[in-house]
Amino acid sequence: MSLLNFSLPARAPALFASFLSLDQTILDALPIGVYACDIEGRIVRVNERAIQLWGRAPKLLDPEQKFCGSFWLETLQGDFIPPHETPMARAVLAGESFEGAEAVVRNPDGRRWVARVNVAPMRDAGGQVVGGINCFLDVTHEHDMRLALERQQRTFDLAMVASKMGTWRYSMADNVCVYDENAQRLYGLTEARFLHDTAGVEAKFHPDDMDLMWARVARAIDPESDGRYEVEYRVKQTDGSWRWLSAWGLVEFEGRGAERQPVAIAGASRDLTELKQSEELQRLLTNELNHRVKNSLATVQSIVNQTLRDATNVQAARRTIDARIVALAGAHDLLTARSWKGADIADLAAGRSRPSPRIRSLPRGLPWMFPPARLWHSRWRCTSLPPTP
Protein backbone atom coordinates (compact mmCIF):
# COMPACT_ATOMS: atom_id res chain seq x y z
CA MET A 1 0.00 0.00 0.00
CA SER A 2 1.36 3.47 -0.85
CA LEU A 3 2.38 5.69 1.99
CA LEU A 4 0.08 8.35 0.59
CA ASN A 5 -2.97 6.24 -0.24
CA PHE A 6 -4.84 5.09 2.83
CA SER A 7 -8.25 5.53 4.39
CA LEU A 8 -8.80 7.37 7.64
CA PRO A 9 -10.33 5.29 10.44
CA ALA A 10 -14.04 5.83 10.79
CA ARG A 11 -14.89 8.72 13.10
CA ALA A 12 -11.22 9.48 13.69
CA PRO A 13 -10.81 12.28 16.26
CA ALA A 14 -9.86 15.65 14.79
CA LEU A 15 -6.29 15.71 16.15
CA PHE A 16 -5.55 12.16 15.01
CA ALA A 17 -7.15 12.78 11.62
CA SER A 18 -5.19 15.98 11.15
CA PHE A 19 -1.92 14.20 11.81
CA LEU A 20 -2.82 11.43 9.39
CA SER A 21 -3.71 14.02 6.76
CA LEU A 22 -0.40 15.87 6.92
CA ASP A 23 1.42 16.12 3.61
CA GLN A 24 3.88 13.24 3.31
CA THR A 25 6.58 15.66 2.17
CA ILE A 26 6.36 17.40 5.52
CA LEU A 27 6.80 14.18 7.47
CA ASP A 28 9.64 13.04 5.21
CA ALA A 29 11.49 16.31 5.87
CA LEU A 30 11.79 15.52 9.57
CA PRO A 31 15.28 14.33 10.63
CA ILE A 32 13.82 11.73 12.99
CA GLY A 33 11.71 8.64 12.40
CA VAL A 34 7.99 9.14 13.01
CA TYR A 35 5.12 6.70 12.77
CA ALA A 36 1.62 6.37 14.19
CA CYS A 37 -0.62 3.44 15.11
CA ASP A 38 -4.37 3.26 15.51
CA ILE A 39 -6.15 1.79 18.51
CA GLU A 40 -5.72 -1.71 17.08
CA GLY A 41 -1.96 -1.26 16.82
CA ARG A 42 -1.90 -1.09 13.03
CA ILE A 43 0.64 1.29 11.53
CA VAL A 44 -1.31 4.05 9.79
CA ARG A 45 1.42 6.57 9.00
CA VAL A 46 5.21 6.47 8.65
CA ASN A 47 7.84 8.83 7.29
CA GLU A 48 10.86 8.19 5.08
CA ARG A 49 13.41 8.48 7.91
CA ALA A 50 11.68 5.71 9.85
CA ILE A 51 11.83 3.46 6.79
CA GLN A 52 15.52 4.23 6.35
CA LEU A 53 16.28 3.42 9.97
CA TRP A 54 14.25 0.19 9.95
CA GLY A 55 15.74 -0.92 6.63
CA ARG A 56 12.30 -1.80 5.32
CA ALA A 57 8.89 -0.26 4.64
CA PRO A 58 5.97 -1.58 6.69
CA LYS A 59 2.58 -2.23 5.13
CA LEU A 60 0.08 0.31 6.37
CA LEU A 61 -2.98 -1.04 8.18
CA ASP A 62 -1.44 -4.52 8.08
CA PRO A 63 -3.04 -6.59 10.88
CA GLU A 64 -0.01 -8.91 10.88
CA GLN A 65 2.47 -6.15 11.73
CA LYS A 66 1.38 -4.23 14.77
CA PHE A 67 2.91 -1.54 16.98
CA CYS A 68 6.38 -1.51 15.43
CA GLY A 69 7.94 -1.56 11.96
CA SER A 70 11.36 -2.88 12.96
CA PHE A 71 12.51 -6.38 12.01
CA TRP A 72 13.74 -7.23 15.52
CA LEU A 73 13.77 -5.32 18.80
CA GLU A 74 15.59 -6.11 22.01
CA THR A 75 16.66 -4.46 25.25
CA LEU A 76 20.16 -3.05 25.73
CA GLN A 77 20.87 -6.26 27.63
CA GLY A 78 19.92 -8.39 24.61
CA ASP A 79 16.44 -9.62 25.62
CA PHE A 80 13.90 -9.85 22.80
CA ILE A 81 10.97 -7.42 22.99
CA PRO A 82 7.82 -8.83 21.33
CA PRO A 83 5.61 -6.33 19.45
CA HIS A 84 2.88 -6.33 22.09
CA GLU A 85 5.43 -5.28 24.76
CA THR A 86 7.03 -2.42 22.84
CA PRO A 87 6.68 1.17 24.12
CA MET A 88 4.19 1.87 21.32
CA ALA A 89 2.06 -1.10 22.36
CA ARG A 90 2.08 0.04 25.98
CA ALA A 91 1.12 3.56 24.87
CA VAL A 92 -1.82 2.33 22.78
CA LEU A 93 -2.98 -0.45 25.10
CA ALA A 94 -2.30 1.14 28.48
CA GLY A 95 -1.97 4.87 27.78
CA GLU A 96 1.66 4.98 28.93
CA SER A 97 4.16 7.58 27.71
CA PHE A 98 7.89 7.14 27.23
CA GLU A 99 10.64 9.74 26.94
CA GLY A 100 14.22 8.82 26.03
CA ALA A 101 13.72 5.05 26.21
CA GLU A 102 16.48 3.10 24.44
CA ALA A 103 16.47 -0.28 22.72
CA VAL A 104 18.54 -2.20 20.17
CA VAL A 105 17.07 -2.62 16.68
CA ARG A 106 18.18 -5.29 14.23
CA ASN A 107 17.43 -4.71 10.56
CA PRO A 108 16.75 -7.39 7.92
CA ASP A 109 20.30 -6.98 6.58
CA GLY A 110 21.75 -7.71 10.04
CA ARG A 111 22.67 -4.14 10.97
CA ARG A 112 22.21 -3.38 14.65
CA TRP A 113 21.69 0.09 16.04
CA VAL A 114 20.47 1.77 19.23
CA ALA A 115 17.21 3.71 19.08
CA ARG A 116 16.03 6.37 21.50
CA VAL A 117 12.26 6.79 21.41
CA ASN A 118 9.67 9.26 22.62
CA VAL A 119 6.24 7.64 22.58
CA ALA A 120 2.90 9.15 23.56
CA PRO A 121 -0.71 7.97 23.28
CA MET A 122 -3.14 10.04 21.20
CA ARG A 123 -6.48 10.68 22.86
CA ASP A 124 -9.87 11.93 21.74
CA ALA A 125 -11.76 14.84 23.31
CA GLY A 126 -13.05 12.52 26.02
CA GLY A 127 -9.57 11.38 26.99
CA GLN A 128 -9.85 7.92 25.45
CA VAL A 129 -6.77 6.52 23.73
CA VAL A 130 -7.31 6.31 19.97
CA GLY A 131 -3.76 5.58 18.86
CA GLY A 132 -0.15 6.45 19.48
CA ILE A 133 2.77 8.33 17.94
CA ASN A 134 6.43 7.32 18.10
CA CYS A 135 9.37 9.62 17.35
CA PHE A 136 12.78 7.94 17.34
CA LEU A 137 16.37 8.44 16.25
CA ASP A 138 19.64 6.55 15.95
CA VAL A 139 21.89 7.15 19.00
CA THR A 140 24.34 4.32 18.36
CA HIS A 141 27.36 6.63 18.34
CA GLU A 142 26.36 8.24 21.62
CA HIS A 143 25.71 4.83 23.15
CA ASP A 144 29.12 3.56 22.03
CA MET A 145 30.75 6.66 23.50
CA ARG A 146 29.03 6.00 26.81
CA LEU A 147 30.27 2.41 26.86
CA ALA A 148 33.76 3.58 25.91
CA LEU A 149 33.74 6.02 28.83
CA GLU A 150 32.73 3.24 31.20
CA ARG A 151 35.50 1.00 29.86
CA GLN A 152 37.95 3.88 30.18
CA GLN A 153 36.93 4.37 33.79
CA ARG A 154 37.63 0.71 34.58
CA THR A 155 40.93 0.88 32.71
CA PHE A 156 41.99 3.95 34.66
CA ASP A 157 41.20 2.23 37.96
CA LEU A 158 43.13 -0.92 37.11
CA ALA A 159 46.09 1.02 35.72
CA MET A 160 46.31 3.20 38.82
CA VAL A 161 46.24 0.26 41.22
CA ALA A 162 48.79 -1.71 39.19
CA SER A 163 51.26 1.15 38.61
CA LYS A 164 50.86 2.83 42.05
CA MET A 165 51.15 6.20 40.33
CA GLY A 166 50.38 9.26 42.38
CA THR A 167 50.85 7.64 45.80
CA TRP A 168 50.73 9.38 49.13
CA ARG A 169 50.80 8.63 52.87
CA TYR A 170 49.18 10.74 55.54
CA SER A 171 50.50 10.46 59.10
CA MET A 172 48.18 11.45 61.90
CA ALA A 173 50.94 11.89 64.42
CA ASP A 174 52.42 14.96 62.70
CA ASN A 175 49.42 15.82 60.45
CA VAL A 176 51.66 15.63 57.37
CA CYS A 177 51.00 13.93 54.03
CA VAL A 178 53.98 12.88 51.93
CA TYR A 179 53.39 12.74 48.13
CA ASP A 180 55.52 11.06 45.48
CA GLU A 181 56.57 13.01 42.38
CA ASN A 182 53.50 12.12 40.32
CA ALA A 183 51.18 12.96 43.20
CA GLN A 184 52.96 16.31 43.64
CA ARG A 185 52.18 17.08 40.00
CA LEU A 186 48.54 16.08 40.44
CA TYR A 187 48.11 18.18 43.58
CA GLY A 188 50.06 21.18 42.29
CA LEU A 189 52.74 20.91 44.98
CA THR A 190 56.36 21.99 44.83
CA GLU A 191 57.63 19.66 47.57
CA ALA A 192 56.78 16.22 48.92
CA ARG A 193 55.67 17.16 52.45
CA PHE A 194 52.36 18.94 52.88
CA LEU A 195 51.07 20.07 56.28
CA HIS A 196 47.36 19.39 56.63
CA ASP A 197 46.64 22.27 58.99
CA THR A 198 43.58 24.48 58.55
CA ALA A 199 45.34 27.11 56.44
CA GLY A 200 46.98 24.54 54.16
CA VAL A 201 43.80 22.56 53.55
CA GLU A 202 41.66 25.64 52.88
CA ALA A 203 44.24 26.95 50.41
CA LYS A 204 44.58 23.64 48.52
CA PHE A 205 41.13 21.97 48.46
CA HIS A 206 37.94 23.40 46.95
CA PRO A 207 35.63 24.70 49.69
CA ASP A 208 32.60 22.88 48.22
CA ASP A 209 34.40 19.52 48.54
CA MET A 210 35.89 19.73 52.03
CA ASP A 211 32.81 18.63 53.97
CA LEU A 212 32.61 15.45 51.90
CA MET A 213 36.36 14.86 52.20
CA TRP A 214 36.36 15.15 55.99
CA ALA A 215 33.24 13.00 56.26
CA ARG A 216 34.97 10.26 54.25
CA VAL A 217 38.10 10.58 56.41
CA ALA A 218 36.04 10.31 59.61
CA ARG A 219 34.28 7.21 58.34
CA ALA A 220 37.54 5.56 57.27
CA ILE A 221 39.42 6.17 60.54
CA ASP A 222 36.55 4.84 62.67
CA PRO A 223 38.12 1.88 64.57
CA GLU A 224 35.06 -0.23 63.78
CA SER A 225 35.19 0.46 60.02
CA ASP A 226 37.03 -1.44 57.31
CA GLY A 227 39.40 1.51 56.93
CA ARG A 228 38.64 2.13 53.26
CA TYR A 229 38.84 5.72 52.09
CA GLU A 230 37.55 6.99 48.74
CA VAL A 231 36.55 10.47 47.63
CA GLU A 232 36.56 12.85 44.67
CA TYR A 233 37.53 16.48 45.07
CA ARG A 234 39.09 19.50 43.36
CA VAL A 235 42.57 20.77 44.23
CA LYS A 236 44.07 24.12 43.31
CA GLN A 237 47.04 24.15 40.93
CA THR A 238 49.97 26.55 40.93
CA ASP A 239 48.31 28.61 38.18
CA GLY A 240 45.10 28.98 40.19
CA SER A 241 43.05 26.47 38.18
CA TRP A 242 41.21 23.50 39.68
CA ARG A 243 41.90 19.84 38.94
CA TRP A 244 39.48 17.01 39.69
CA LEU A 245 41.12 14.10 41.53
CA SER A 246 39.93 10.73 42.74
CA ALA A 247 41.67 9.60 45.92
CA TRP A 248 41.41 6.26 47.63
CA GLY A 249 43.36 4.47 50.31
CA LEU A 250 43.41 2.26 53.39
CA VAL A 251 43.78 3.30 57.01
CA GLU A 252 46.61 1.80 59.03
CA PHE A 253 45.43 0.82 62.51
CA GLU A 254 47.42 -0.11 65.59
CA GLY A 255 46.14 -2.11 68.53
CA ARG A 256 43.20 -4.42 68.90
CA GLY A 257 39.70 -4.18 70.27
CA ALA A 258 39.04 -1.04 72.28
CA GLU A 259 42.67 0.05 71.84
CA ARG A 260 42.53 -0.05 68.04
CA GLN A 261 43.48 3.42 66.76
CA PRO A 262 44.23 4.88 63.29
CA VAL A 263 47.79 6.04 62.71
CA ALA A 264 47.98 6.76 58.97
CA ILE A 265 46.22 6.56 55.62
CA ALA A 266 48.11 5.25 52.61
CA GLY A 267 46.61 5.65 49.16
CA ALA A 268 46.78 6.88 45.59
CA SER A 269 45.20 9.56 43.43
CA ARG A 270 44.44 9.99 39.77
CA ASP A 271 43.39 12.84 37.50
CA LEU A 272 39.66 12.93 36.77
CA THR A 273 39.60 16.27 34.96
CA GLU A 274 39.27 14.97 31.41
CA LEU A 275 36.75 12.35 32.49
CA LYS A 276 34.68 15.00 34.31
CA GLN A 277 34.85 17.24 31.24
CA SER A 278 33.80 14.34 29.01
CA GLU A 279 30.93 13.47 31.34
CA GLU A 280 29.84 17.11 31.40
CA LEU A 281 30.09 17.37 27.62
CA GLN A 282 28.11 14.18 27.20
CA ARG A 283 25.50 15.42 29.66
CA LEU A 284 25.22 18.74 27.84
CA LEU A 285 24.98 17.08 24.43
CA THR A 286 22.37 14.61 25.66
CA ASN A 287 20.34 17.34 27.34
CA GLU A 288 20.58 19.56 24.26
CA LEU A 289 19.47 16.73 21.98
CA ASN A 290 16.56 15.82 24.22
CA HIS A 291 15.66 19.51 24.60
CA ARG A 292 15.61 20.14 20.85
CA VAL A 293 13.66 16.98 20.08
CA LYS A 294 11.08 17.82 22.75
CA ASN A 295 10.91 21.43 21.56
CA SER A 296 10.36 20.29 17.98
CA LEU A 297 7.59 17.92 19.01
CA ALA A 298 6.02 20.50 21.32
CA THR A 299 6.08 23.10 18.57
CA VAL A 300 4.45 20.76 16.07
CA GLN A 301 1.84 19.85 18.66
CA SER A 302 1.18 23.55 19.34
CA ILE A 303 0.83 24.21 15.62
CA VAL A 304 -1.73 21.45 15.25
CA ASN A 305 -3.66 22.37 18.41
CA GLN A 306 -3.83 26.11 17.66
CA THR A 307 -4.73 25.58 14.03
CA LEU A 308 -7.51 23.16 14.88
CA ARG A 309 -8.83 25.47 17.55
CA ASP A 310 -9.16 28.36 15.12
CA ALA A 311 -10.06 26.37 12.00
CA THR A 312 -13.41 26.73 10.28
CA ASN A 313 -13.09 23.66 8.08
CA VAL A 314 -10.76 20.65 7.68
CA GLN A 315 -9.26 21.73 4.33
CA ALA A 316 -8.32 25.17 5.61
CA ALA A 317 -6.84 23.63 8.75
CA ARG A 318 -4.80 21.19 6.70
CA ARG A 319 -3.37 23.94 4.47
CA THR A 320 -2.56 26.11 7.47
CA ILE A 321 -0.83 23.23 9.31
CA ASP A 322 1.21 22.36 6.21
CA ALA A 323 2.25 25.98 5.67
CA ARG A 324 3.23 26.51 9.28
CA ILE A 325 5.30 23.34 9.46
CA VAL A 326 7.05 24.30 6.20
CA ALA A 327 7.80 27.72 7.73
CA LEU A 328 9.10 26.01 10.85
CA ALA A 329 11.34 23.78 8.74
CA GLY A 330 12.62 26.87 6.91
CA ALA A 331 13.49 28.53 10.19
CA HIS A 332 15.29 25.36 11.26
CA ASP A 333 17.32 25.36 8.03
CA LEU A 334 18.32 29.00 8.54
CA LEU A 335 19.42 28.40 12.11
CA THR A 336 21.28 25.21 11.22
CA ALA A 337 23.13 26.98 8.41
CA ARG A 338 24.34 29.56 10.94
CA SER A 339 25.09 27.06 13.73
CA TRP A 340 22.06 28.28 15.70
CA LYS A 341 23.62 31.73 16.23
CA GLY A 342 20.71 33.59 14.66
CA ALA A 343 19.41 34.35 11.19
CA ASP A 344 20.48 37.34 9.10
CA ILE A 345 17.53 39.49 8.17
CA ALA A 346 18.84 39.49 4.60
CA ASP A 347 18.13 35.76 4.42
CA LEU A 348 14.61 36.36 5.68
CA ALA A 349 14.08 39.18 3.19
CA ALA A 350 15.24 36.86 0.41
CA GLY A 351 12.27 34.66 1.22
CA ARG A 352 14.15 31.67 2.63
CA SER A 353 11.72 31.46 5.54
CA ARG A 354 8.65 33.19 4.06
CA PRO A 355 8.95 36.47 6.01
CA SER A 356 6.03 38.78 6.57
CA PRO A 357 5.59 41.92 4.38
CA ARG A 358 6.85 44.10 7.21
CA ILE A 359 10.18 42.22 7.22
CA ARG A 360 10.48 42.55 3.44
CA SER A 361 10.09 46.35 3.72
CA LEU A 362 13.12 46.79 5.99
CA PRO A 363 16.15 48.64 4.45
CA ARG A 364 18.72 46.50 2.75
CA GLY A 365 22.31 46.17 3.97
CA LEU A 366 21.57 46.31 7.68
CA PRO A 367 23.41 43.67 9.75
CA TRP A 368 20.34 42.79 11.76
CA MET A 369 20.04 39.31 13.22
CA PHE A 370 17.06 37.40 14.53
CA PRO A 371 18.03 35.47 17.69
CA PRO A 372 17.38 31.69 17.44
CA ALA A 373 14.61 31.58 20.05
CA ARG A 374 12.66 34.42 18.44
CA LEU A 375 12.95 33.02 14.92
CA TRP A 376 12.22 29.43 16.00
CA HIS A 377 9.17 30.20 18.12
CA SER A 378 7.65 32.99 16.04
CA ARG A 379 8.23 31.94 12.43
CA TRP A 380 5.25 29.60 12.19
CA ARG A 381 3.00 32.13 13.95
CA CYS A 382 3.68 34.65 11.18
CA THR A 383 2.61 32.22 8.50
CA SER A 384 -0.77 32.92 6.94
CA LEU A 385 -2.59 31.69 3.89
CA PRO A 386 -4.86 33.40 1.41
CA PRO A 387 -8.61 33.00 1.98
CA THR A 388 -10.17 29.76 0.91
CA PRO A 389 -11.42 30.13 -2.68
Side-chain angles (χ1 to χ4, degrees), residues 117-137:
V117 304
N118 282 11
V119 185
M122 299 188 74
R123 304 176 184 272
D124 60 18
Q128 296 298 313
V129 176
V130 296
I133 183 170
N134 188 329
C135 302
F136 62 97
L137 65 162

Side-chain angles (χ1 to χ4, degrees), residues 166-171 174-196 204-205 265 267:
T167 60
W168 46 263
R169 187 175 187 277
Y170 170 71
S171 174
D174 56 8
N175 198 27
V176 169
C177 190
V178 178
Y179 298 86
D180 69 10
E181 291 185 1
N182 289 324
Q184 292 174 46
R185 174 180 54 81
L186 293 175
Y187 282 83
L189 299 172
T190 56
E191 57 183 83
R193 295 175 61 86
F194 178 78
L195 179 62
H196 271 253
K204 177 57 59 178
F205 295 89
I265 307 176

